[in-house]
Amino acid sequence: EAGISWLAGGRNRSLRVLLLGHLLAGVWFARAQTTPQPDLRVAARLDEEGKCAASEALYRRALAGGSPTVVLWNNTGNHYVACGQPAKAREYFALVLKRVPTHGNANLQLARLAVEAKDNGSAVKYLGAMGAVKEPGLLAETGALYGRAGCFSEWRRETGSR
């Protein structure tokens, strides 16, 4: 109660609020620095090696370590794709698309999962949401997914390919 009266009362209130803000920011920063973030490259390497349980622990720790980022959600989605858990992968890629609707990898992975589930309408929706694809490898991959979805003519129309 004394702290609140000090903050609210009298002269120099703006200065006290500013000092409190800096104090709280310093506490947050110190906490963030002492909470180690797992190296997501290590987790991705573990996924490539098929060590899903070990990488799962790293992703869970990273997700619990503060405010998750689009990169973390995307990498976690990739983890679940690599480890054969498409339902969980969809959850994380959906989080990515809420923030970045044109995110290339999230849309591509969701399109791939939709094609595998024989949900061609969703596959085309995700592929279309990617926007203009210029990178040759990605262009070929999107074309192949459109083809697998039975919608190669839509890919041709969107890319101007013949």
Side-chain angles (χ1 to χ4, degrees):
E1 193 173 298
I4 292 174
S5 64
W6 173 81
L7 180 62
R11 295 184 359 217
N12 296 325
R13 181 171 180 251
S14 296
L15 179 61
R16 286 190 293 256
V17 170
L18 181 64
L19 288 172
L20 180 62
H22 282 292
L23 175 69
L24 292 175
V27 168
W28 175 85
F29 183 75
R31 183 174 176 218
Q33 296 302 309
T34 59
T35 307
Q37 292 295 317
D39 187 346
L40 296 180
R41 288 181 298 247
V42 171
R45 190 187 77 239
L46 292 169
D47 283 337
E48 288 174 8
E49 296 171 0
K51 298 177 180 174
C52 292
S55 63
E56 174 95 13
L58 294 175
Y59 287 111
R60 284 182 190 257
R61 193 169 76 204
L63 289 165
S67 299
T69 63
V70 168
V71 171
L72 178 56
W73 287 332
N74 183 64
N75 288 357
T76 304
N78 288 336
H79 157 71
Y80 285 121
V81 167
C83 294
Q85 298 181 53
K88 286 185 177 181
R90 282 186 201 94
E91 290 176 29
Y92 285 97
F93 290 133
L95 291 170
V96 171
L97 295 183
K98 281 183 182 178
R99 290 244 186 107
V100 185
T102 59
H103 193 278
N105 183 70
N107 277 300
L108 188 66
Q109 293 285 28
L110 285 168
R112 190 177 295 126
L113 292 170
V115 166
E116 289 171 4
K118 309 283 190 244
D119 182 1
N120 296 338
S122 291
V124 170
K125 178 189 87 162
Y126 291 124
L127 290 168
M130 290 174 63
V133 176
K134 305 241 186 289
E135 197 265 306
L138 193 55
L139 190 62
E141 196 164 353
T142 58
L145 283 170
Y146 270 113
R148 287 179 57 200
C151 302
F152 195 70
S153 60
E154 288 188 34
W155 176 78
R156 289 176 129 177
R157 187 172 41 253
E158 285 190 23
T159 61
S161 299
R162 297 184 194 261

